[in-house]
Every structure is written in structure tokens, then in C-alpha cells.
Amino acid sequence: MENSTELRKVVYNVLLTQIQFGTYRYGEKLPNIEETSSLLCVSVDTARAAYLKLRDGGYITLSKKVGATVSVKLSAQETEQFVQTFFSMRKHAIFDLAASMFPLFGNVQWNGLKNASSETLQAMDRLSREVSTSAPYAILTHINQKYSALGNALLMRLVWQSSMFLHVPIFSFTDNLQYFEPSADYLPAVMTLCRNKDWPSLRAEVERTMKRLSFALNRFYETRITAPPAEEEITFAWSSYRKNQQLCYSFAMELLLSISQGRYPVGSLLPTQKELAVRKGISVSTVRRAFELLDSVGAIKSAKYVGTKILPFDKTTENSDFTNPVLRRRLLDMTESLQILALSCREVSLLTLSSLDGASVRQLLRELDSNRKRQRGETLSYFILKSIAELAPLQTIRTVYSELLLQFFWAYALRGMEGSQEYINRIYAPYFDALAEALQKADYSRFSAALEELIIYELRSTVNYLSQLDFPGMENILIPDENRN
């Protein structure tokens, strides 16, 4: 995992929670910094920063000879209060995240296991036999094993943070294991199915395991947590950027969509930075940063005394600086976000459409027709996924999909490789037809399958474009097979 302020905060909170839960009591030693780095799958610098913050808060003492020792005394009553408060403040978020696990990660995990190397399967088998590995840390290790074949660092950050929010606190003390169905046979069963290449049965096993989590959480809360839900609850949060999300990214995307939809025609000038700042109620520095982002993907060019001009769509690639390390990193993030969407959009869209009433579906169909009339086929996937992100019945899905869509901004730099607008519209016309027909017939399974085909097409095209631009690592991005068997 990469070092960042966000990760330091997450690791600090996990360690603090374990102290407050009594996992580590007064006078007991925490694992050393290097061990925590390994157990929580973060860098040594991230673990060290969390330990220093615990020391500064008076929770531990640190010394080279002894290591980290808990320095706070908590009574049994205080510990119980911490447990009750912690889980009551997260009840709705925990259940929402658990219900989102299969739509978001079911097909992802199945593909990761299906494509796992023999070495990875052997490592999973060894870990399942190591009784010394405690539950929360074993879960984090399994994450790296189950998903490593996908070659997706962004996915690993998402699944890691999900597990730190859901699994690690619950399994931080062994008493909680009694509320969950024993799963000692899960890994051996998975190993057998993988080695036998019994992919349909593997999918069923992954689905069964993920869906039974909500049932187990019901037992846990009904039996163990007596405190009522808090008035102000803590929600699950995740950022697709390594640093906290900045307003300039979402504003830059808003401007980019306006450009793509013709509100600011090619050759015209954008309003001044000051005008946009007043109009949107944001700072001039935020607008300036958004302009810099648009310039980096070849969308605009600013000239002193002239203004900021909209550049031709087919010139974006030649106006982008692909030697810029920031742009290269962002394009890789964008590709990884596309892979996550390609692997999850079928289940997520089916869940979302099935939750809508007839009026909402008809409204979506009207908006789809309006989108088509704009003759910008390349915006179809963003429009559909954005609608799903807004309409999804689970907050976790809305959060994750909204974050992943922020990465679509960087795809604009590749528009010059896609061909003429007429050619692009011909490519996307069959997808418009399939999606619209499925909505008209309320055939949500067909809609979800067509959407998956569309996103897989865009993922494959993006990988090809970046390979042509000599981007390293494209060979590690797994493109899912449209045949799920």
C-alpha cells in the first residue's frame, strides 16, 4: 500500500481502536513498527507515523529497546463503552458496506481467483494453515492474494480500506468470531475449485460467502451491541485519489463535459477564471487549478491578453504531454478505475435498476435519448455510470462509483486516438440501441450485460492506446472475458 496522509489516519484509527477494545491492554506490547507494516500491508513510514501519533496522544510509549507499549489503563466498563459506541456510530455504514460487497467485489474476486497463479494459490493454502495469524491480519493478506492477478493498485486500495472499515474492527478480538458462521472450509474449497477449473461453482462459493456476511452482522448486532444507533453516524469514505479529493477535479470534469457537449464550442473562449469563480461560488485558485488540469489533457490553451481557447477534439493527444509523470500516473489510475467498473457494473446496474420505480426508469430512458441526440458517443459510458452512481440504493456504491468516475477526466487526453466524431458515433450506436431497448422492455439483465460489454470495450481500447504510447504496466491490466463461464 502507498504511503499517504489518508493511510496514516486509517492505520492510526485501527491501532487506537484495538487499544480501546482491549485487544492490547495496559503494559502490553504492540507489534513493532515493521511487523505492523507487514500485517496491515502498508509502508514502514505509514506505520511509524501512526505510532508517533499514538505516542503523542499518550496511548503508548515508544523506545528502541522495548518498542511500543500501551500506556493507558482502561477499566472493563470503559472498554465496553468504547465497543458499544464504536459499533453504534457505524451501524448503518457497516450494514450498507456489507450489502455492497457482492455487487462491488463479487465478480472482481471471482476473476482474481480464476486468474491466480499456482504460486498465489499455494501461498493462500499456506496462510490458511497458519493458526498463528490472527483474523484481521489474515484477511488483509488474503486481499493481496485474491486480487493480485488483476494488476490493479487502485482496486487494492479500495478493498483494503473497505476491510479496514468492516472486517478489521469486528475481528480485532476473538470473542466476535462466535457470531459468524465458521468458514474454516472456505479456503480449501476455493483451492479445490480453482485447481479443478470449476468456475461456475467458484462463482457460487464467492457469492455465498459474501452474502452471508450481512446475516452474521445481524447476529452480532442483535446479540452483542445494545447501544442504539448514534444520532450522528460515521460513514464509509474512500477517495480514488491518494490525497483527499480536491474540488478542482470535479470542477474540471464539469467543464470538460460542457466542452464535450458543445456548450463551449471548439475555438471559443472559456469565461475568465474570475467569472467562473463567482458563478460557481468557488475560489479563483480552484478555477486556476482546474484550468491547469484541462490544459494537461489537451482540452484548452491559455494565452496572455487573449484568453483560454477550446482546442479541437482530434488534437487532444498531440496537445498532451505524455512525458509528464503526473499525467502518466493519472492515466494509469483511470485505466484501473475502468477495470473496476468493467468487473462490477453488471451486478451494480442490475441491483440499481431493480430498485427503481417505473417513473424513474422512464426518466432514465429520456435522458439516454437526449444524450444520444448530442452526437457525442464517447460520453455514453460516463452518462450511464453517473446515473447509476446517483440512483444506486446503497451509499457505499454511490460513494465508490462517484469516486471512480472522477478518473474519467484523464481519458480526454486519448481522444485524438479515437478517430473522427462520425466514426466514434458509429462505434457507440449499437450500445445506445441495446441499452435503450432493454430499458423500454424493462429487461434489466440485458441492460446490465450490454453495459458490461460497453465498459469492457472501453477498457480494451484504453489499454491499446496506452500501449501504443509505450506506457509500462499495460500488460498487467487484466481485461475480463465477456464469457463468464
Side-chain angles (χ1 to χ4, degrees):
M1 302 302 301
E2 182 162 337
N3 181 25
S4 73
T5 302
E6 179 184 348
L7 291 184
R8 292 170 184 168
K9 182 178 179 181
V10 173
V11 172
Y12 165 78
N13 285 333
V14 165
L15 294 172
L16 176 58
T17 297
Q18 291 182 333
I19 293 172
Q20 292 172 333
F21 283 6
T23 307
Y24 300 107
R25 300 180 182 275
Y26 175 74
E28 293 182 350
K29 292 176 60 177
L30 273 66
N32 64 42
I33 292 174
E34 290 74 15
E35 290 171 336
T36 294
S37 166
S38 176
L39 291 170
L40 296 183
C41 305
V42 296
S43 70
V44 171
D45 287 343
T46 297
R48 181 179 294 110
Y51 272 61
L52 290 174
K53 188 173 181 180
L54 287 170
R55 181 201 64 186
D56 294 343
Y59 296 103
I60 64 172
T61 58
L62 275 176
S63 69
K64 291 183 179 180
K65 289 185 177 180
V66 180
T69 305
V70 177
S71 57
V72 291
K73 288 184 178 179
L74 298 176
S75 66
Q77 183 178 3
E78 288 173 319
T79 296
E80 179 62 18
Q81 185 60 48
F82 276 123
V83 171
Q84 294 291 333
T85 300
F86 180 92
F87 286 108
S88 66
M89 292 184 69
R90 292 162 175 80
K91 181 176 181 179
H92 290 132
I94 284 176
F95 275 98
D96 188 277
L97 178 54
S100 302
M101 291 297 288
F102 180 72
L104 283 175
F105 303 125
N107 190 47
V108 180
Q109 187 176 125
W110 179 74
N111 272 273
L113 290 168
K114 182 181 178 182
N115 292 278
S117 66
S118 58
E119 292 79 12
T120 298
L121 294 177
Q122 290 170 4
M124 292 179 66
D125 193 36
R126 285 194 300 271
L127 182 61
S128 68
R129 301 173 189 276
E130 292 178 4
V131 295
S132 61
T133 305
S134 58
Y137 304 132
I139 287 172
L140 293 175
T141 303
H142 279 308
I143 288 173
N144 289 329
Q145 296 169 337
K146 293 174 182 176
Y147 299 97
S148 61
L150 301 174
N152 191 321
L154 186 65
L155 169 68
M156 300 301 283
R157 288 201 291 116
L158 170 59
V159 182
W160 179 86
Q161 191 140 336
S162 301
S163 293
M164 294 290 272
F165 188 91
L166 175 60
H167 298 99
V168 171
I170 288 176
F171 295 121
S172 285
F173 42 101
T174 56
D175 287 350
N176 279 352
L177 295 176
Q178 64 181 299
Y179 302 105
F180 294 80
E181 179 184 340
S183 56
D185 61 338
Y186 170 68
L187 278 175
V190 165
M191 299 300 100
T192 299
L193 294 172
C194 287
R195 293 188 178 105
N196 293 339
K197 301 186 185 302
D198 186 353
W199 308 131
S201 296
L202 176 64
R203 180 181 292 279
E205 180 67 18
V206 169
E207 180 175 2
R208 184 184 71 85
T209 301
M210 287 188 167
K211 288 188 173 181
R212 72 185 181 190
L213 179 60
S214 293
F215 174 76
L217 286 169
N218 270 317
R219 292 183 58 211
F220 169 71
Y221 269 92
E222 289 174 0
T223 308
R224 181 69 179 82
I225 305 303
T226 58
E231 291 184 5
E232 294 186 11
E233 292 200 17
I234 294 174
T235 59
F236 172 74
W238 177 70
S239 174
S240 64
Y241 289 97
R242 288 176 178 80
K243 295 182 179 179
N244 290 335
Q245 179 183 331
Q246 299 179 39
L247 179 59
C248 63
Y249 289 118
S250 56
F251 181 57
M253 177 61 88
E254 181 182 338
L255 287 174
L256 197 59
L257 284 174
S258 297
I259 293 170
S260 296
Q261 294 168 356
R263 295 175 190 168
Y264 299 113
V266 172
S268 68
L269 298 178
L270 281 175
T272 66
Q273 294 179 13
K274 186 175 181 180
E275 288 172 337
L276 285 172
V278 172
R279 186 183 304 175
K280 295 294 180 180
I282 57 180
S283 68
V284 173
S285 62
T286 297
V287 179
R288 183 182 304 114
R289 176 63 179 139
F291 275 31
E292 291 172 357
L293 294 171
L294 290 168
D295 180 77
S296 72
V297 296
I300 63 173
K301 189 70 175 179
S302 298
K304 197 173 183 179
Y305 307 121
V306 175
T308 302
K309 181 180 291 188
I310 307 299
L311 298 178
F313 300 133
D314 59 353
K315 301 294 183 182
T316 58
T317 302
E318 64 183 74
N319 288 320
S320 299
D321 180 10
F322 293 104
T323 64
N324 185 318
V326 174
L327 179 57
R328 294 177 72 86
R329 178 64 250 179
R330 296 299 183 228
L331 283 168
L332 180 56
D333 287 343
M334 181 269 296
T335 307
E336 292 176 342
S337 74
L338 263 178
Q339 188 198 54
I340 298 171
L341 291 164
L343 288 164
S344 64
C345 66
R346 189 167 185 167
E347 282 75 19
V348 167
S349 60
L350 181 59
L351 171 69
T352 300
L353 291 176
S354 299
S355 72
L356 301 179
D357 57 26
S360 298
V361 173
R362 290 191 292 274
Q363 177 62 27
L364 179 59
L365 182 58
R366 287 192 292 269
E367 292 173 358
L368 177 61
D369 184 58
S370 297
N371 184 275
R372 183 171 193 168
K373 289 177 179 177
R374 295 191 185 104
Q375 292 294 297
R376 296 290 181 190
E378 70 280 358
T379 66
L380 172 60
S381 59
Y382 181 83
F383 160 72
I384 291 295
L385 292 170
K386 185 172 184 291
S387 298
I388 290 172
E390 293 170 348
L391 297 170
L394 297 169
Q395 179 60 49
T396 300
I397 292 176
R398 296 196 294 271
T399 296
V400 170
Y401 264 48
S402 295
E403 282 295 320
L404 293 174
L405 286 173
L406 289 177
Q407 299 293 338
F408 270 49
F409 174 86
W410 304 100
Y412 197 82
L414 305 177
R415 283 206 59 186
M417 304 179 74
E418 295 177 339
S420 67
Q421 189 65 59
E422 181 181 358
Y423 172 78
I424 292 172
N425 290 340
R426 285 202 306 270
I427 292 293
Y428 283 91
Y431 295 111
F432 273 106
D433 292 340
L435 293 168
E437 182 180 356
L439 285 179
Q440 288 168 349
K441 296 180 177 180
D443 187 347
Y444 303 146
S445 294
R446 176 59 193 136
F447 179 96
S448 301
L451 177 60
E452 183 181 57
E453 292 172 13
L454 168 61
I455 307 304
I456 290 176
Y457 163 75
E458 294 202 334
L459 173 61
R460 184 179 293 109
S461 298
T462 299
V463 169
N464 287 338
Y465 294 148
L466 294 180
S467 296
Q468 293 174 37
L469 294 168
D470 296 323
F471 269 60
M474 288 300 101
E475 67 280 1
N476 297 324
I477 300 293
L478 184 143
I479 299 175
D481 189 346
E482 294 177 14
N483 180 5
R484 287 185 170 226
N485 294 323

